[in-house]
PDB file of all heavy atoms in Angstrom:
ATOM      1  N   PHE A  21     -20.109  -0.320  13.011  1.00  0.00           N
ATOM      2  CA  PHE A  21     -20.238   1.128  12.827  1.00  0.00           C
ATOM      3  C   PHE A  21     -19.167   1.711  11.958  1.00  0.00           C
ATOM      4  O   PHE A  21     -19.222   2.867  11.581  1.00  0.00           O
ATOM      5  CB  PHE A  21     -20.311   1.809  14.188  1.00  0.00           C
ATOM      6  CG  PHE A  21     -21.574   1.476  14.959  1.00  0.00           C
ATOM      7  CD1 PHE A  21     -21.611   0.425  15.788  1.00  0.00           C
ATOM      8  CD2 PHE A  21     -22.682   2.289  14.824  1.00  0.00           C
ATOM      9  CE1 PHE A  21     -22.786   0.099  16.471  1.00  0.00           C
ATOM     10  CE2 PHE A  21     -23.850   2.016  15.525  1.00  0.00           C
ATOM     11  CZ  PHE A  21     -23.922   0.889  16.344  1.00  0.00           C
ATOM     12  N   ASP A  22     -18.139   0.907  11.651  1.00  0.00           N
ATOM     13  CA  ASP A  22     -17.131   1.379  10.701  1.00  0.00           C
ATOM     14  C   ASP A  22     -17.682   1.212   9.306  1.00  0.00           C
ATOM     15  O   ASP A  22     -18.487   0.347   9.033  1.00  0.00           O
ATOM     16  CB  ASP A  22     -15.878   0.468  10.776  1.00  0.00           C
ATOM     17  CG  ASP A  22     -15.221   0.497  12.089  1.00  0.00           C
ATOM     18  OD1 ASP A  22     -15.307   1.593  12.746  1.00  0.00           O
ATOM     19  OD2 ASP A  22     -14.600  -0.473  12.519  1.00  0.00           O
ATOM     20  N   PRO A  23     -17.230   2.121   8.399  1.00  0.00           N
ATOM     21  CA  PRO A  23     -17.669   1.934   6.980  1.00  0.00           C
ATOM     22  C   PRO A  23     -17.113   0.603   6.482  1.00  0.00           C
ATOM     23  O   PRO A  23     -16.016   0.226   6.819  1.00  0.00           O
ATOM     24  CB  PRO A  23     -17.049   3.129   6.247  1.00  0.00           C
ATOM     25  CG  PRO A  23     -16.552   4.046   7.319  1.00  0.00           C
ATOM     26  CD  PRO A  23     -16.367   3.282   8.571  1.00  0.00           C
ATOM     27  N   ILE A  24     -17.905  -0.027   5.636  1.00  0.00           N
ATOM     28  CA  ILE A  24     -17.486  -1.356   5.095  1.00  0.00           C
ATOM     29  C   ILE A  24     -16.929  -1.145   3.711  1.00  0.00           C
ATOM     30  O   ILE A  24     -17.572  -0.516   2.830  1.00  0.00           O
ATOM     31  CB  ILE A  24     -18.696  -2.287   5.055  1.00  0.00           C
ATOM     32  CG1 ILE A  24     -19.224  -2.468   6.472  1.00  0.00           C
ATOM     33  CG2 ILE A  24     -18.320  -3.621   4.419  1.00  0.00           C
ATOM     34  CD1 ILE A  24     -20.449  -3.352   6.502  1.00  0.00           C
ATOM     35  N   PHE A  25     -15.741  -1.700   3.493  1.00  0.00           N
ATOM     36  CA  PHE A  25     -15.123  -1.579   2.164  1.00  0.00           C
ATOM     37  C   PHE A  25     -15.797  -2.546   1.224  1.00  0.00           C
ATOM     38  O   PHE A  25     -15.935  -3.749   1.507  1.00  0.00           O
ATOM     39  CB  PHE A  25     -13.661  -1.925   2.261  1.00  0.00           C
ATOM     40  CG  PHE A  25     -12.917  -2.006   0.912  1.00  0.00           C
ATOM     41  CD1 PHE A  25     -12.475  -0.837   0.272  1.00  0.00           C
ATOM     42  CD2 PHE A  25     -12.744  -3.230   0.301  1.00  0.00           C
ATOM     43  CE1 PHE A  25     -11.851  -0.885  -0.915  1.00  0.00           C
ATOM     44  CE2 PHE A  25     -12.113  -3.283  -0.953  1.00  0.00           C
ATOM     45  CZ  PHE A  25     -11.681  -2.118  -1.549  1.00  0.00           C
ATOM     46  N   ILE A  26     -16.290  -2.052   0.102  1.00  0.00           N
ATOM     47  CA  ILE A  26     -16.977  -3.005  -0.837  1.00  0.00           C
ATOM     48  C   ILE A  26     -16.343  -3.011  -2.229  1.00  0.00           C
ATOM     49  O   ILE A  26     -16.743  -3.814  -3.045  1.00  0.00           O
ATOM     50  CB  ILE A  26     -18.473  -2.701  -0.939  1.00  0.00           C
ATOM     51  CG1 ILE A  26     -18.676  -1.290  -1.431  1.00  0.00           C
ATOM     52  CG2 ILE A  26     -19.182  -2.951   0.357  1.00  0.00           C
ATOM     53  CD1 ILE A  26     -19.987  -1.191  -2.143  1.00  0.00           C
ATOM     54  N   GLY A  27     -15.427  -2.136  -2.494  1.00  0.00           N
ATOM     55  CA  GLY A  27     -14.797  -2.156  -3.838  1.00  0.00           C
ATOM     56  C   GLY A  27     -14.218  -0.841  -4.231  1.00  0.00           C
ATOM     57  O   GLY A  27     -13.912   0.006  -3.340  1.00  0.00           O
ATOM     58  N   ILE A  28     -14.020  -0.595  -5.521  1.00  0.00           N
ATOM     59  CA  ILE A  28     -13.471   0.667  -5.955  1.00  0.00           C
ATOM     60  C   ILE A  28     -14.464   1.287  -6.932  1.00  0.00           C
ATOM     61  O   ILE A  28     -15.283   0.607  -7.520  1.00  0.00           O
ATOM     62  CB  ILE A  28     -12.112   0.470  -6.693  1.00  0.00           C
ATOM     63  CG1 ILE A  28     -12.291  -0.503  -7.857  1.00  0.00           C
ATOM     64  CG2 ILE A  28     -11.040   0.003  -5.749  1.00  0.00           C
ATOM     65  CD1 ILE A  28     -11.106  -0.551  -8.819  1.00  0.00           C
ATOM     66  N   ASP A  29     -14.355   2.600  -7.046  1.00  0.00           N
ATOM     67  CA  ASP A  29     -15.159   3.251  -8.055  1.00  0.00           C
ATOM     68  C   ASP A  29     -14.372   3.432  -9.320  1.00  0.00           C
ATOM     69  O   ASP A  29     -13.219   3.005  -9.396  1.00  0.00           O
ATOM     70  CB  ASP A  29     -15.760   4.597  -7.548  1.00  0.00           C
ATOM     71  CG  ASP A  29     -14.668   5.639  -7.327  1.00  0.00           C
ATOM     72  OD1 ASP A  29     -13.506   5.405  -7.706  1.00  0.00           O
ATOM     73  OD2 ASP A  29     -14.998   6.711  -6.778  1.00  0.00           O
ATOM     74  N   GLU A  30     -14.990   4.072 -10.321  1.00  0.00           N
ATOM     75  CA  GLU A  30     -14.313   4.061 -11.630  1.00  0.00           C
ATOM     76  C   GLU A  30     -13.092   4.972 -11.656  1.00  0.00           C
ATOM     77  O   GLU A  30     -12.342   4.988 -12.624  1.00  0.00           O
ATOM     78  CB  GLU A  30     -15.272   4.461 -12.708  1.00  0.00           C
ATOM     79  CG  GLU A  30     -15.843   5.816 -12.507  1.00  0.00           C
ATOM     80  CD  GLU A  30     -16.906   6.089 -13.562  1.00  0.00           C
ATOM     81  OE1 GLU A  30     -16.741   5.609 -14.664  1.00  0.00           O
ATOM     82  OE2 GLU A  30     -17.930   6.743 -13.227  1.00  0.00           O
ATOM     83  N   PHE A  31     -12.863   5.735 -10.596  1.00  0.00           N
ATOM     84  CA  PHE A  31     -11.645   6.538 -10.514  1.00  0.00           C
ATOM     85  C   PHE A  31     -10.605   5.838  -9.668  1.00  0.00           C
ATOM     86  O   PHE A  31      -9.625   6.426  -9.292  1.00  0.00           O
ATOM     87  CB  PHE A  31     -11.985   7.927  -9.991  1.00  0.00           C
ATOM     88  CG  PHE A  31     -13.046   8.601 -10.792  1.00  0.00           C
ATOM     89  CD1 PHE A  31     -14.271   8.843 -10.293  1.00  0.00           C
ATOM     90  CD2 PHE A  31     -12.817   8.938 -12.139  1.00  0.00           C
ATOM     91  CE1 PHE A  31     -15.279   9.424 -11.048  1.00  0.00           C
ATOM     92  CE2 PHE A  31     -13.822   9.495 -12.916  1.00  0.00           C
ATOM     93  CZ  PHE A  31     -15.035   9.757 -12.354  1.00  0.00           C
ATOM     94  N   GLY A  32     -10.872   4.589  -9.332  1.00  0.00           N
ATOM     95  CA  GLY A  32      -9.881   3.855  -8.582  1.00  0.00           C
ATOM     96  C   GLY A  32      -9.932   4.124  -7.082  1.00  0.00           C
ATOM     97  O   GLY A  32      -9.116   3.598  -6.333  1.00  0.00           O
ATOM     98  N   GLN A  33     -10.899   4.922  -6.630  1.00  0.00           N
ATOM     99  CA  GLN A  33     -10.979   5.258  -5.222  1.00  0.00           C
ATOM    100  C   GLN A  33     -11.771   4.177  -4.489  1.00  0.00           C
ATOM    101  O   GLN A  33     -12.714   3.595  -5.062  1.00  0.00           O
ATOM    102  CB  GLN A  33     -11.710   6.587  -5.052  1.00  0.00           C
ATOM    103  CG  GLN A  33     -11.007   7.754  -5.682  1.00  0.00           C
ATOM    104  CD  GLN A  33      -9.618   7.913  -5.162  1.00  0.00           C
ATOM    105  OE1 GLN A  33      -9.374   7.996  -3.947  1.00  0.00           O
ATOM    106  NE2 GLN A  33      -8.621   7.945  -6.043  1.00  0.00           N
ATOM    107  N   PRO A  34     -11.412   3.879  -3.264  1.00  0.00           N
ATOM    108  CA  PRO A  34     -12.165   2.878  -2.493  1.00  0.00           C
ATOM    109  C   PRO A  34     -13.594   3.351  -2.195  1.00  0.00           C
ATOM    110  O   PRO A  34     -13.818   4.553  -2.014  1.00  0.00           O
ATOM    111  CB  PRO A  34     -11.359   2.735  -1.185  1.00  0.00           C
ATOM    112  CG  PRO A  34     -10.582   3.948  -1.077  1.00  0.00           C
ATOM    113  CD  PRO A  34     -10.283   4.413  -2.488  1.00  0.00           C
ATOM    114  N   VAL A  35     -14.504   2.403  -2.167  1.00  0.00           N
ATOM    115  CA  VAL A  35     -15.911   2.725  -1.870  1.00  0.00           C
ATOM    116  C   VAL A  35     -16.287   2.074  -0.587  1.00  0.00           C
ATOM    117  O   VAL A  35     -16.062   0.880  -0.388  1.00  0.00           O
ATOM    118  CB  VAL A  35     -16.817   2.255  -2.985  1.00  0.00           C
ATOM    119  CG1 VAL A  35     -18.274   2.576  -2.676  1.00  0.00           C
ATOM    120  CG2 VAL A  35     -16.454   2.856  -4.314  1.00  0.00           C
ATOM    121  N   TYR A  36     -16.850   2.843   0.318  1.00  0.00           N
ATOM    122  CA  TYR A  36     -17.300   2.313   1.605  1.00  0.00           C
ATOM    123  C   TYR A  36     -18.785   2.476   1.764  1.00  0.00           C
ATOM    124  O   TYR A  36     -19.356   3.389   1.202  1.00  0.00           O
ATOM    125  CB  TYR A  36     -16.619   3.067   2.764  1.00  0.00           C
ATOM    126  CG  TYR A  36     -15.144   2.976   2.756  1.00  0.00           C
ATOM    127  CD1 TYR A  36     -14.378   3.977   2.167  1.00  0.00           C
ATOM    128  CD2 TYR A  36     -14.505   1.894   3.285  1.00  0.00           C
ATOM    129  CE1 TYR A  36     -12.990   3.931   2.176  1.00  0.00           C
ATOM    130  CE2 TYR A  36     -13.105   1.809   3.321  1.00  0.00           C
ATOM    131  CZ  TYR A  36     -12.362   2.850   2.735  1.00  0.00           C
ATOM    132  OH  TYR A  36     -11.018   2.797   2.710  1.00  0.00           O
ATOM    133  N   LEU A  37     -19.410   1.614   2.493  1.00  0.00           N
ATOM    134  CA  LEU A  37     -20.837   1.767   2.799  1.00  0.00           C
ATOM    135  C   LEU A  37     -21.050   1.728   4.314  1.00  0.00           C
ATOM    136  O   LEU A  37     -20.412   0.950   5.017  1.00  0.00           O
ATOM    137  CB  LEU A  37     -21.625   0.611   2.167  1.00  0.00           C
ATOM    138  CG  LEU A  37     -21.927   0.678   0.717  1.00  0.00           C
ATOM    139  CD1 LEU A  37     -22.838  -0.468   0.307  1.00  0.00           C
ATOM    140  CD2 LEU A  37     -22.535   1.982   0.306  1.00  0.00           C
ATOM    141  N   ASP A  38     -21.979   2.529   4.777  1.00  0.00           N
ATOM    142  CA  ASP A  38     -22.428   2.505   6.168  1.00  0.00           C
ATOM    143  C   ASP A  38     -23.659   1.610   6.236  1.00  0.00           C
ATOM    144  O   ASP A  38     -24.775   2.126   6.321  1.00  0.00           O
ATOM    145  CB  ASP A  38     -22.744   3.887   6.681  1.00  0.00           C
ATOM    146  CG  ASP A  38     -21.495   4.646   7.038  1.00  0.00           C
ATOM    147  OD1 ASP A  38     -20.656   4.052   7.707  1.00  0.00           O
ATOM    148  OD2 ASP A  38     -21.384   5.826   6.655  1.00  0.00           O
ATOM    149  N   VAL A  39     -23.476   0.345   6.189  1.00  0.00           N
ATOM    150  CA  VAL A  39     -24.630  -0.531   6.113  1.00  0.00           C
ATOM    151  C   VAL A  39     -25.466  -0.444   7.366  1.00  0.00           C
ATOM    152  O   VAL A  39     -26.685  -0.651   7.339  1.00  0.00           O
ATOM    153  CB  VAL A  39     -24.191  -1.987   5.845  1.00  0.00           C
ATOM    154  CG1 VAL A  39     -25.367  -2.928   5.903  1.00  0.00           C
ATOM    155  CG2 VAL A  39     -23.575  -2.079   4.467  1.00  0.00           C
ATOM    156  N   ILE A  40     -24.846  -0.061   8.468  1.00  0.00           N
ATOM    157  CA  ILE A  40     -25.546  -0.064   9.746  1.00  0.00           C
ATOM    158  C   ILE A  40     -26.805   0.788   9.760  1.00  0.00           C
ATOM    159  O   ILE A  40     -27.846   0.431  10.304  1.00  0.00           O
ATOM    160  CB  ILE A  40     -24.570   0.338  10.845  1.00  0.00           C
ATOM    161  CG1 ILE A  40     -25.282   0.415  12.236  1.00  0.00           C
ATOM    162  CG2 ILE A  40     -23.917   1.667  10.628  1.00  0.00           C
ATOM    163  CD1 ILE A  40     -25.360  -0.868  12.916  1.00  0.00           C
ATOM    164  N   TYR A  41     -26.760   1.930   9.094  1.00  0.00           N
ATOM    165  CA  TYR A  41     -27.915   2.823   9.120  1.00  0.00           C
ATOM    166  C   TYR A  41     -28.707   2.794   7.840  1.00  0.00           C
ATOM    167  O   TYR A  41     -29.555   3.653   7.610  1.00  0.00           O
ATOM    168  CB  TYR A  41     -27.492   4.275   9.465  1.00  0.00           C
ATOM    169  CG  TYR A  41     -27.057   4.400  10.895  1.00  0.00           C
ATOM    170  CD1 TYR A  41     -25.858   5.016  11.199  1.00  0.00           C
ATOM    171  CD2 TYR A  41     -27.818   3.882  11.919  1.00  0.00           C
ATOM    172  CE1 TYR A  41     -25.412   5.150  12.494  1.00  0.00           C
ATOM    173  CE2 TYR A  41     -27.399   4.020  13.237  1.00  0.00           C
ATOM    174  CZ  TYR A  41     -26.205   4.678  13.513  1.00  0.00           C
ATOM    175  OH  TYR A  41     -25.794   4.781  14.830  1.00  0.00           O
ATOM    176  N   ARG A  42     -28.385   1.945   6.901  1.00  0.00           N
ATOM    177  CA  ARG A  42     -29.092   1.900   5.633  1.00  0.00           C
ATOM    178  C   ARG A  42     -29.203   0.454   5.245  1.00  0.00           C
ATOM    179  O   ARG A  42     -28.286  -0.344   5.458  1.00  0.00           O
ATOM    180  CB  ARG A  42     -28.219   2.559   4.590  1.00  0.00           C
ATOM    181  CG  ARG A  42     -28.517   3.852   3.910  1.00  0.00           C
ATOM    182  CD  ARG A  42     -29.709   4.626   4.303  1.00  0.00           C
ATOM    183  NE  ARG A  42     -29.299   5.995   4.604  1.00  0.00           N
ATOM    184  CZ  ARG A  42     -28.902   6.845   3.666  1.00  0.00           C
ATOM    185  NH1 ARG A  42     -28.856   6.520   2.445  1.00  0.00           N
ATOM    186  NH2 ARG A  42     -28.566   8.056   4.028  1.00  0.00           N
ATOM    187  N   ASN A  43     -30.293   0.046   4.639  1.00  0.00           N
ATOM    188  CA  ASN A  43     -30.411  -1.311   4.126  1.00  0.00           C
ATOM    189  C   ASN A  43     -29.916  -1.305   2.694  1.00  0.00           C
ATOM    190  O   ASN A  43     -30.023  -0.353   1.972  1.00  0.00           O
ATOM    191  CB  ASN A  43     -31.882  -1.742   4.195  1.00  0.00           C
ATOM    192  CG  ASN A  43     -32.434  -1.590   5.588  1.00  0.00           C
ATOM    193  OD1 ASN A  43     -31.969  -2.245   6.494  1.00  0.00           O
ATOM    194  ND2 ASN A  43     -33.387  -0.677   5.742  1.00  0.00           N
ATOM    195  N   LEU A  44     -29.373  -2.457   2.301  1.00  0.00           N
ATOM    196  CA  LEU A  44     -28.772  -2.548   0.951  1.00  0.00           C
ATOM    197  C   LEU A  44     -29.506  -3.601   0.178  1.00  0.00           C
ATOM    198  O   LEU A  44     -29.718  -4.729   0.631  1.00  0.00           O
ATOM    199  CB  LEU A  44     -27.319  -2.932   1.096  1.00  0.00           C
ATOM    200  CG  LEU A  44     -26.581  -3.299  -0.210  1.00  0.00           C
ATOM    201  CD1 LEU A  44     -26.429  -2.134  -1.138  1.00  0.00           C
ATOM    202  CD2 LEU A  44     -25.220  -3.910   0.076  1.00  0.00           C
ATOM    203  N   LEU A  45     -29.916  -3.252  -1.052  1.00  0.00           N
ATOM    204  CA  LEU A  45     -30.530  -4.206  -1.973  1.00  0.00           C
ATOM    205  C   LEU A  45     -29.631  -4.362  -3.163  1.00  0.00           C
ATOM    206  O   LEU A  45     -29.280  -3.370  -3.816  1.00  0.00           O
ATOM    207  CB  LEU A  45     -31.912  -3.669  -2.426  1.00  0.00           C
ATOM    208  CG  LEU A  45     -32.630  -4.541  -3.430  1.00  0.00           C
ATOM    209  CD1 LEU A  45     -33.030  -5.865  -2.833  1.00  0.00           C
ATOM    210  CD2 LEU A  45     -33.879  -3.823  -3.946  1.00  0.00           C
ATOM    211  N   THR A  46     -29.197  -5.601  -3.436  1.00  0.00           N
ATOM    212  CA  THR A  46     -28.407  -5.790  -4.624  1.00  0.00           C
ATOM    213  C   THR A  46     -29.194  -6.624  -5.588  1.00  0.00           C
ATOM    214  O   THR A  46     -29.882  -7.560  -5.168  1.00  0.00           O
ATOM    215  CB  THR A  46     -27.044  -6.494  -4.329  1.00  0.00           C
ATOM    216  OG1 THR A  46     -27.363  -7.846  -3.919  1.00  0.00           O
ATOM    217  CG2 THR A  46     -26.303  -5.829  -3.244  1.00  0.00           C
ATOM    218  N   ALA A  47     -29.130  -6.322  -6.855  1.00  0.00           N
ATOM    219  CA  ALA A  47     -29.911  -7.042  -7.849  1.00  0.00           C
ATOM    220  C   ALA A  47     -29.179  -7.018  -9.159  1.00  0.00           C
ATOM    221  O   ALA A  47     -28.312  -6.205  -9.382  1.00  0.00           O
ATOM    222  CB  ALA A  47     -31.295  -6.444  -8.004  1.00  0.00           C
ATOM    223  N   GLY A  48     -29.562  -7.939 -10.004  1.00  0.00           N
ATOM    224  CA  GLY A  48     -28.917  -8.016 -11.336  1.00  0.00           C
ATOM    225  C   GLY A  48     -29.039  -9.451 -11.839  1.00  0.00           C
ATOM    226  O   GLY A  48     -29.483 -10.311 -11.146  1.00  0.00           O
TER     227      GLY A  48
END
Side-chain angles (χ1 to χ4, degrees):
Chain A
F21 290 88
D22 297 330
I24 299 178
F25 174 82
I26 58 153
I28 57 167
D29 67 7
E30 60 187 325
F31 304 111
Q33 299 301 309
V35 179
Y36 300 96
L37 282 187
D38 280 315
V39 174
I40 177 84
Y41 291 130
R42 248 4 128 68
N43 305 297
L44 169 69
L45 177 66
T46 68

